[in-house]
Amino acid sequence: MSYDEDINVIKREVAERIGISLMELDAELEEIRSEAPGLISDRLALLLLLERRGISDPELVRKLSSQYAMLKIGELVAGMQGVSVLGRIIRFLRSPRKAVLKFVIEDNSGKAVVIIVGRNVDLFRKIGFDVGDIILIKNAKVMKTFGTFNRIYVDDDSEIHYLEETDLVSYPVGIVPSIPVPLGVREALKIANELIEEGSEIDVKGYLVWVSNLSTLEKAGNRSVKRLIFRIADEVNPEVSLRVVAWGSIAEDILAETTIGDLLLLQGGVLKINEYLSKKTGEQVIEMHLGGLSNFKVIGFKRDRISE
């Protein structure tokens, strides 16, 4: 059942339960959506309508927030069960356990971390999912957020399916955005203030030109965190470089798996202004931060030209 067929079936059921026509239902839903243009989906409007009409129908509520309804990522709420979502895989996350897969998916409403355990781990690898692929997940659970992202838990009761780009004709236009294009260091710095204001995640690539020692910072509650500071240079103009701060396990991985001259792809980073260094130097210092929802890849190596 496609997205449109799915929601239309539920609309008919709601109209019958309330005792109005589909035309009257659509008019009431449009009035509810107008209260917050662009923010209230059909499903949320239906739930609000049922509540305002004083109708308590557990079956309809279940259909509007379960596998009977294809939810957008932005509609997910921790505690939901039996949900179905689809999204494009934009990056994999590092997991200390081979029996657990973690990656980030995105649709046109937001991003979520997917955690796969059990038999679906083998199925995922057998299908050969990769970054850029579209995945359909059915009968999953929504867990508490990690950072700013909801977590979608996929176990043996869940289903995963690979979708071709042509399969998207059954869904609303633009429901799955294209894979984000990595920025060069120079490009990232050029629009840094805009990205900082939006709080946008970005992917940046550049050559590793300097690395600090790994340090440990003490935090409240007798906790500590690893920190690694390094710089990457622009591919075209190596005189332009970006300070990067990696936190936690990814800091240790970068130190262990990279060497000076590597061309790195840094995924899921956030740009920030280092107020201390900006004040100290008298110039704005932009840096990229990598954390638990970030990843990196070595995608090349810069070799100096050897002359005779």
Side-chain angles (χ1 to χ4, degrees):
M1 181 178 292
S2 73
Y3 180 99
D4 291 329
E5 291 171 338
D6 180 31
I7 196 65
N8 286 333
V9 168
I10 299 174
K11 279 184 177 180
R12 284 195 291 271
E13 291 187 40
V14 172
E16 291 175 4
R17 181 70 175 81
I18 295 176
I20 60 177
S21 68
L22 278 174
M23 186 176 296
E24 291 171 320
L25 176 69
D26 284 333
E28 292 202 33
L29 294 179
E30 182 59 33
E31 184 176 344
I32 292 173
R33 285 194 295 267
S34 68
E35 296 172 11
L39 299 178
I40 300 178
S41 66
D42 284 338
R43 269 177 293 280
L44 182 55
L46 286 166
L47 286 168
L48 290 171
L49 178 60
L50 289 172
E51 181 182 1
R52 293 175 185 182
R53 288 279 190 142
I55 295 175
S56 177
D57 191 323
E59 179 64 16
L60 275 176
V61 172
R62 184 173 71 87
K63 288 183 178 182
L64 286 167
S65 59
S66 74
Q67 66 264 37
Y68 292 97
M70 183 72 66
L71 296 177
K72 291 184 177 182
I73 291 173
E75 298 171 337
L76 299 178
V77 177
M80 285 182 170
Q81 298 188 29
V83 302
S84 295
V85 295
L86 68 84
R88 191 181 301 278
I89 300 173
I90 61 172
R91 67 177 175 274
F92 288 98
L93 301 178
R94 291 169 176 252
S95 174
R97 293 183 293 167
K98 291 185 178 180
V100 178
L101 287 175
K102 296 181 181 180
F103 53 92
V104 178
I105 62 171
E106 181 179 24
D107 69 8
N108 63 358
S109 69
K111 299 173 184 174
V113 175
V114 178
I115 302 169
I116 300 183
V117 300
R119 64 175 182 82
N120 278 312
V121 171
D122 292 332
L123 179 58
F124 185 95
R125 289 172 174 155
K126 184 177 180 180
I127 293 173
F129 279 104
D130 201 354
V131 170
D133 289 341
I134 301 169
I135 186 170
L136 170 62
I137 299 170
K138 295 183 178 180
N139 198 27
K141 302 177 181 68
V142 184
M143 304 167 67
K144 290 182 179 179
T145 58
F146 184 85
T148 58
F149 296 169
N150 276 311
R151 292 185 294 170
I152 301 171
Y153 189 75
V154 178
D155 58 18
D156 286 346
D157 293 326
S158 310
E159 299 178 21
I160 58 173
H161 302 272
Y162 173 85
L163 294 186
E164 298 282 357
E165 298 287 341
T166 52
D167 294 328
L168 294 180
V169 296
S170 300
Y171 299 88
V173 175
I175 190 171
V176 178
S178 301
I179 191 73
V181 177
L183 299 175
V185 170
R186 186 169 51 178
E187 293 174 291
L189 290 173
K190 188 175 181 180
I191 58 173
N193 289 320
E194 179 182 339
L195 293 170
I196 291 171
E197 184 177 345
E198 295 174 353
S200 303
E201 273 194 349
I202 60 170
D203 298 347
V204 178
K205 59 180 179 177
Y207 288 109
L208 181 63
V209 293
W210 177 83
V211 184
S212 72
N213 292 322
L214 187 68
S215 60
T216 302
L217 301 183
E218 301 299 327
K219 303 190 74 174
N222 294 321
R223 297 184 300 116
S224 62
V225 61
K226 300 292 185 183
R227 182 185 70 175
L228 183 72
I229 301 173
F230 59 97
R231 298 193 78 88
I232 58 172
D234 188 74
E235 288 184 88
V236 178
N237 185 356
E239 293 182 1
V240 179
S241 65
L242 174 67
R243 174 185 165 100
V244 184
V245 184
W247 300 93
S249 60
I250 193 172
E252 298 178 273
D253 291 342
I254 290 172
L255 187 62
E257 300 174 22
T258 65
T259 186
I260 298 297
D262 283 345
L263 178 59
L264 302 183
L265 172 60
L266 307 179
Q267 300 172 301
V270 177
L271 294 184
K272 297 182 179 182
I273 298 173
N274 187 314
E275 300 290 354
Y276 172 76
L277 289 179
S278 296
K279 185 176 180 180
K280 184 178 179 180
T281 62
E283 297 180 356
Q284 188 182 61
V285 177
I286 304 293
E287 59 189 21
M288 183 178 187
H289 285 244
L290 304 175
L293 294 176
S294 308
N295 200 0
F296 73 94
K297 292 180 180 179
V298 177
I299 58 175
F301 186 81
K302 182 177 183 179
R303 293 179 174 83
D304 293 332
R305 292 181 179 177
I306 300 175
S307 58
E308 297 183 358

